[in-house]
Amino acid sequence: MTDMVLKLLMLLVFFALMIAVGFYCRRHSGDVNGFVLGSRAVGPWLTAFAYGTSYFSAVILVGYSGQFGWKYGIASTWIGLGNALIGSYMAWAILGRRTRVMTQHLESKTMPDFFHKRYGSASLRTGAALIIFLFLIPYAASLYNGLSRLFAMAFDIDYTVCILLMTVLTAIYVIAGGYMATVVNDFIQGVIMLAGIVAIIAAALSQFGGLSEALQKLAAVSDPTVSTAPGAFTSFLGPDPLNLLGVVILTSLGTWSLPQMTQKFYAIKNESAILRGTVISTLFALVVAGGCYFLGGFGRLLSDRVDVAAQGYDAIIPTMFQHFSPLLLGLVVVLVLAASMSTLSSLVLTASSTLTLDLIALRKGVKMGEKQRLGTIRGLILVFIALSAVIAIVQYRYNIAFIAQLMGLSWGAMAGAFLGPYLYGLYSRRVTVAAVWISFLFGTGTMLLNMLAKPLFPALLQSPINCGAFVMLASLVIVPLVSLFTKAPDRAHLDSVFSCYDRAVTVTARDSIGNPKEQAQP
């Protein structure tokens, strides 16, 4: 009884803190700009943690780390390293400043609005908004799945109750405080994730006799259906390097064009904040993603306790936690809940603001003031959360797909559609509207076809993960290739768009004396 009280107390403190932050941040959400972007004044720590917690959810800890740790062993750690280097460091370094400067110059608050104003095409805004709303739903639905087994283990609570609890609490603080409530809570949740990952890795490895003994046991594991090489699950690249590369690409490069991720760059305060945020975000990813996949790499040591064929990959990590102390198990539940709520809050805010600002408010004959738009965004947050919750419950009851499949579909479709148009749009003047449309259609169409008609694809691409990685890379080729053979954009429009990078800035020289010879020249 005392153990249950301790775990419930930890949850109640966490919930109370999240709601208190939501109401505290109401003062920052009085208009659309404040509610959606925090008035573009968010500092590096909050932005970096918001980026990281939106990136890594229960999908990573419970779904991906268990599945890929089972398939690739310790080599699955490469996924976490890729997330840190490509998904965090390179994303911030290549996209951060240019996104912040251009979106402020164009006065765009959402990715669809960016496409509209960058390329001068209102139809692109509509197409992008529909893609975002349709494909964020399965991703949001996947977030709940990681909670089901952990809550059942810790509290013996029905999965539906878990979903309702999570949706109600997330809705309260997002609706109350908007983007600022989301990023402040993300910071708190990020601290919990960092501490929790370190603690559970140490506790989990102790079950196997420590790191050295765990590695020795894992080296002795063999599975002829995967690899006949001895020590395959402790090898440098694992038993299947090619498919491992597909996972690295999907989970790392995909963040470059996911709207809930790039929105963080819209809202950051200034250039110095971007530089600091780059370092913080990368270190966060190293600990959280690297730690999760490293832990999952030992999943094969539980083969006597987990029947993957019957229970699925999602049972691996929760089984690893079964013998944790009540305090540590409570921390694990709060960690997974924090990871899920932080990502869900980012998704619902992105989807609702996109649908309101890029579709509803722009219909002919519709005139919406500031309060109406704000009210609509808040209302759609409830709609989006409800839809994702219904899908999650149906998926759980009928075992339709694994967490990774749902996430792979969402990431692959959106990143495959947006990666080329977004990245090249920040740097190149030559990209055409036709090239953007082709990327949209190819990315979403290929992923939907993969879901509905897998046998039409080569064996390597029948996996939604590999297919998602393929459409992302294809987008980087399609956009410049199609742009070469289609009508060039309007020169005057491009000059206006890219003038934000040419703005002159007057500074005070550190050396006021200078070179006398140069001063003497007329």
Side-chain angles (χ1 to χ4, degrees):
M1 186 66 180
T2 305
D3 294 344
M4 181 63 70
V5 170
L6 177 63
K7 288 182 284 189
L8 287 173
L9 183 62
M10 292 175 70
L11 277 183
L12 289 174
V13 171
F14 174 73
F15 293 152
L17 186 59
M18 298 299 102
I19 293 173
V21 168
F23 284 99
Y24 174 77
C25 292
R26 281 182 63 87
R27 59 195 179 96
H28 294 286
S29 59
D31 57 19
V32 172
N33 189 51
F35 190 85
V36 175
L37 294 178
S39 302
R40 298 185 191 265
V42 184
W45 283 91
L46 293 182
T47 302
F49 271 63
Y51 185 93
T53 54
S54 297
Y55 195 166
F56 308 116
S57 65
V59 172
I60 300 295
L61 179 61
V62 178
Y64 265 25
S65 64
Q67 178 177 354
F68 300 126
W70 185 272
K71 289 183 176 181
Y72 309 121
I74 292 299
S76 64
T77 308
W78 283 111
I79 305 171
L81 297 178
N83 293 169
L85 178 62
I86 303 171
S88 297
Y89 176 77
M90 290 179 65
W92 278 72
I94 294 172
L95 304 174
R97 178 184 180 275
R98 282 190 169 252
T99 298
R100 177 64 175 83
V101 172
M102 186 175 281
T103 55
Q104 179 173 334
H105 174 67
L106 298 177
E107 297 183 353
S108 58
K109 299 180 180 67
T110 64
M111 181 173 278
D113 193 43
F114 168 78
F115 286 133
H116 165 220
K117 292 175 179 176
R118 163 61 184 85
Y119 295 107
S121 172
S123 61
L124 284 179
R125 175 175 55 200
T126 302
L130 289 173
I131 291 171
I132 288 171
F133 190 72
L134 291 175
F135 286 98
L136 278 184
I137 292 176
Y139 183 25
S142 72
L143 301 178
Y144 304 101
N145 290 278
L147 296 172
S148 59
R149 298 179 191 273
L150 290 175
F151 265 81
M153 182 197 309
F155 303 103
D156 195 24
I157 298 176
D158 183 72
Y159 179 53
T160 303
V161 176
C162 298
I163 290 180
L164 293 175
L165 189 65
M166 178 176 166
T167 54
V168 169
L169 290 168
T170 305
I172 289 173
Y173 80 73
V174 176
I175 290 173
Y179 185 79
M180 282 304 299
T182 298
V183 296
V184 172
N185 274 332
D186 285 351
F187 180 80
I188 297 169
Q189 291 159 351
V191 172
I192 294 171
M193 290 170 68
L194 288 172
I197 289 294
V198 174
I200 64 176
I201 289 175
L205 289 178
S206 68
Q207 295 182 28
F208 307 126
L211 178 59
S212 297
E213 188 171 338
L215 287 172
Q216 290 177 7
K217 291 178 179 177
L218 189 62
V221 173
S222 63
D223 185 348
T225 63
V226 177
S227 175
T228 57
F233 296 105
T234 54
S235 61
F236 187 66
L237 295 177
D240 190 0
L242 187 59
N243 280 304
L244 176 61
L245 178 62
V247 180
V248 173
I249 293 173
L250 178 77
T251 60
S252 301
L253 196 59
T255 61
W256 288 33
S257 56
L258 291 177
Q260 74 272 18
M261 304 298 293
T262 59
Q263 186 188 40
K264 306 301 185 288
F265 300 139
Y266 291 38
I268 198 164
K269 195 172 184 179
N270 50 41
E271 289 194 41
S272 64
I274 293 173
L275 293 174
R276 282 179 286 167
T278 302
V279 177
I280 298 166
S281 177
T282 303
L283 293 176
F284 184 92
L286 276 173
V287 175
V288 174
C292 283
Y293 287 111
F294 176 75
L295 180 65
F298 294 96
R300 289 267 176 174
L301 298 181
L302 302 172
S303 56
D304 59 330
R305 293 157 56 187
V306 179
D307 184 355
V308 171
Q311 298 174 272
Y313 294 112
D314 301 342
I316 296 171
I317 298 300
T319 301
M320 198 177 288
F321 300 154
Q322 277 182 340
H323 301 295
F324 280 6
S325 68
L327 178 63
L328 190 55
L329 187 56
L331 177 61
V332 169
V333 172
V334 172
L335 183 156
V336 176
L337 189 63
S340 299
M341 289 178 66
S342 60
T343 306
L344 181 64
S345 64
S346 180
L347 294 179
V348 299
L349 186 59
T350 299
S352 59
S353 59
T354 293
L355 197 62
T356 300
L357 301 177
D358 298 312
L359 288 178
I360 297 174
L362 297 172
R363 286 187 305 161
K364 290 184 178 180
V366 174
K367 293 184 179 180
M368 298 179 69
E370 192 79 2
K371 290 184 178 180
Q372 287 179 300
R373 289 190 294 168
L374 202 53
T376 304
I377 292 173
R378 286 183 162 126
L380 284 173
I381 288 173
L382 290 176
V383 172
F384 187 85
I385 285 182
L387 283 173
S388 61
V390 168
I391 292 174
I393 292 172
V394 171
Q395 186 272 327
Y396 177 76
R397 299 297 182 195
Y398 298 99
N399 197 27
I400 295 172
F402 291 117
I403 289 176
Q405 291 173 316
L406 288 171
M407 181 183 177
L409 172 65
S410 175
W411 276 45
M414 287 191 297
F418 298 148
L419 180 57
Y422 176 63
L423 174 61
Y424 293 125
L426 294 173
Y427 282 88
S428 173
R429 292 169 172 257
R430 186 62 184 84
V431 181
T432 64
V433 172
V436 176
W437 269 117
I438 295 296
S439 182
F440 282 8
L441 295 173
F442 182 82
T444 55
T446 302
M447 290 305 298
L448 287 173
L449 188 62
N450 179 267
M451 181 178 67
L452 300 172
K454 289 186 185 296
L456 296 178
F457 289 78
L460 183 63
L461 296 182
Q462 288 184 10
S463 161
I465 294 170
N466 289 342
C467 190
F470 167 72
V471 294
M472 288 180 205
L473 296 176
S475 176
L476 295 175
V477 176
I478 287 171
V479 171
L481 189 62
V482 174
S483 295
L484 287 176
F485 299 100
T486 50
K487 184 180 177 181
D490 178 69
R491 181 66 177 269
H493 173 71
L494 290 175
D495 289 341
S496 174
V497 168
F498 281 88
S499 64
C500 60
Y501 298 140
D502 301 325
R503 185 162 54 99
V505 179
T506 302
V507 297
T508 302
R510 291 185 179 181
D511 184 359
S512 59
I513 299 175
N515 189 324
K517 293 183 179 180
E518 291 179 355
Q519 293 177 359
Q521 294 177 357

